């Protein structure tokens, strides 16, 4: 388990809504294979950017992200 290496795969979706739909479908595949998947999106009703960054640093193999949130996390060195 090499959490410090970062995600093995990043799926980038143009909108939060599409990222959430992709995440829901990816989760079906990932759970069956023991792969950890996480949605990195902004907007109301989601975890704060710091909470999301912390979750990714704990060791996630697949990240589904919206461009804005991914850029914010990279600039803040959260991922």
């Amino acid at each position: 388990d090499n959490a410090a290496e970062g995600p093995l795969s990043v799926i980038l979706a143009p909108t939060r809504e599409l990222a959430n739909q992709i995440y829901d479908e990816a989760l079906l595949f990932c759970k069956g294979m023991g792969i950890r998947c996480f949605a990195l999106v902004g907007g109301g009703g989601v975890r704060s950017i710091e909470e999301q960054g912390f979750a990714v640093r704990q060791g996630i193999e697949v990240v589904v992200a919206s461009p804005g949130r991914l850029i914010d996390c990279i600039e803040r060195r959260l991922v």
Side-chain angles (χ1 to χ4, degrees), residues 9-66:
S9 175
V10 176
I11 301 169
L12 194 60
T15 65
R16 174 182 69 225
E17 293 81 11
L18 184 56
N20 282 326
Q21 290 174 4
I22 293 170
Y23 169 73
D24 290 341
E25 294 300 316
L27 202 54
L28 299 173
F29 293 100
C30 290
K31 279 187 177 179
M33 296 187 290
I35 297 173
R36 293 165 293 190
C37 183
F38 189 77
L40 192 61
V41 296
V46 298
R47 295 179 182 179
S48 73
I49 192 169
E50 291 81 11
E51 290 173 322
Q52 289 181 349
F54 179 77
V56 172
R57 285 192 310 269
Q58 296 307 301
I60 300 293
E61 285 86 14
V62 177
V63 171
V64 182
S66 59

